[in-house]
Amino acid sequence: MNTTLKTLLATAATLASMAASAQHFAPVDTREIDVRQARQALRIDRGLAQGDFTRREARMLRQGQREIARAEAEAIADGHLARHELRRLHALLDQADAQIRQSRNDRDGRGDRDDRNGRDIYRPG
C-alpha cells in the first residue's frame, strides 16, 4: 500500500509538471492585434495613394506602426501576454487610429479638390 501511494503521488507530480510546462510553451494569441495593425497599414497605404497624407505624414505613421510591432514583440518575448501588456498594446493601437484619422482629415494644403465642381479648394476663383 505504501508503494502504491508513492507511485500514485509520483505520477500525479509528473503529470502536474508536464501540464505546467505545456502551458509555458503554448503560443500567445495576438491575432486581434495583428489584424488591427494590418488594417491600419492598409489605411496608411490607401491614404497615401489617395493623396490624403503627405509622404512625411505616411512615414511618421509607419514609424508608429513599427513601434507598435516592437512593443508587441517585447510583450510576447517571454511567451506570455499579460493583461496589462495587452491593454498597453490596445492603447497604442487606439492612439495610432486617432493619428491616422487626424492626418487623413487635416486639410494641410495638398491640393485637395472640392467634390462639387472639381476646383482646387485652396485657390480663389
Side-chain angles (χ1 to χ4, degrees):
M1 176 97 174
N2 196 10
T3 307
T4 306
L5 184 59
K6 287 181 183 179
T7 304
L8 183 61
L9 288 174
T11 304
T14 303
L15 288 175
S17 172
M18 288 173 56
S21 66
Q23 287 177 348
H24 179 69
F25 294 109
V28 177
D29 186 15
T30 60
R31 284 179 289 188
E32 182 181 352
I33 292 167
D34 296 338
V35 167
R36 284 188 70 184
Q37 284 180 285
R39 203 175 302 138
Q40 287 179 354
L42 182 63
R43 288 173 57 203
I44 294 168
D45 292 342
R46 194 178 298 150
L48 183 60
Q50 293 174 349
D52 294 332
F53 302 135
T54 62
R55 286 188 303 217
R56 182 175 184 268
E57 286 174 325
R59 186 173 45 250
M60 293 188 67
L61 292 169
R62 287 183 178 134
Q63 175 63 33
Q65 294 298 302
R66 285 190 293 275
E67 290 172 9
I68 293 169
R70 194 174 307 118
E72 179 184 9
E74 289 173 7
I76 63 173
D78 63 354
H80 177 71
L81 186 61
R83 198 172 285 147
H84 74 277
E85 293 170 326
L86 184 60
R87 277 195 303 266
R88 179 173 178 257
L89 289 171
H90 279 292
L92 290 172
L93 288 163
D94 291 343
Q95 182 180 10
D97 270 334
Q99 289 172 341
I100 293 168
R101 187 172 36 260
Q102 187 273 329
S103 292
R104 195 159 193 185
N105 292 326
D106 68 0
R107 300 271 187 196
D108 57 1
R110 293 180 305 273
D112 295 321
R113 301 280 176 192
D114 184 353
D115 290 337
R116 289 175 286 156
N117 54 21
R119 290 183 306 175
D120 191 335
I121 62 175
Y122 295 105
R123 289 190 191 162

